[in-house]
Amino acid sequence: MLERLRYGVEGKNVTAVVSSASVVRDSIVAAVLVRMSAAADIAPYLRGPALAVVVRLTREVVSRCVDALDPGADLSGGADALHPVPGEPAAVRAVLARVLGTFAWERLAEVIGPHDTPPHAVCRAVESLFDSLVELGRSH
C-alpha cells in the first residue's frame, strides 16, 4: 500500500531507501501528540520526562498499525516494545490506554480513506490498535 521513497543523502551520491510508511507513521504520531496536547486532562502528561514516554509508546502503537496496513514496513520495535521501562510513570500508560485509541484511529482513518486499502488490512490495523491499547492498560 505505502510505496518506498528514494532520496539523496546531503551532497553525497549515496541513495538511501526510506519507507514512506515511516513518514506516514511520524506524521500520524505528530498529529496525535498535537491533538492530545489540546486536551486539558492529557496535556499535563506531555511535559517533562513523561513526554518521552508518551512519544515512545505512541510511536510504537502507530508503528504496529502501519505495519498491519503495510506488512513490509517493519516499523514496530517488536513484541516487547510496549513493555514498561524502569522509571516510567505508570500513570502515563494508563492515560494513553484510555485516550490513544480515538486519536490514533482518527489519523489512521485519514491515511486509509483515500487509498484502496484491502478490508483485511484495515481489520488487521484495528486489531493491532486494540491489542496495543490492551497491552498498555495491562500491568506487567
Side-chain angles (χ1 to χ4, degrees), residues 15-130:
T15 301
V17 176
V18 174
S19 166
S20 62
S22 66
V23 173
V24 168
R25 180 216 36 221
D26 292 345
S27 69
I28 291 172
V29 169
V32 167
L33 292 173
V34 166
R35 187 98 148 69
M36 286 194 296
S37 69
D41 60 333
I42 303 167
Y45 295 96
L46 299 175
R47 295 188 188 111
L51 178 59
V53 177
V54 170
V55 171
R56 179 182 77 80
L57 295 173
T58 301
R59 186 177 168 109
E60 179 58 26
V61 170
V62 173
S63 291
R64 290 177 179 197
C65 294
V66 172
D67 282 351
L69 292 171
D70 183 9
D74 293 326
L75 299 174
S76 173
D80 296 337
L82 287 178
H83 287 181
V85 173
E88 233 176 40
V92 171
R93 298 177 65 79
V95 167
L96 281 179
R98 180 176 56 86
V99 301
L100 185 56
T102 301
F103 296 134
W105 185 250
E106 287 173 354
R107 298 302 171 237
L108 283 163
E110 290 173 4
V111 170
I112 294 167
H115 297 284
D116 257 346
T117 308
H120 66 278
V122 175
C123 288
R124 282 194 319 260
V126 170
E127 288 171 356
S128 182
L129 180 58
F130 178 77

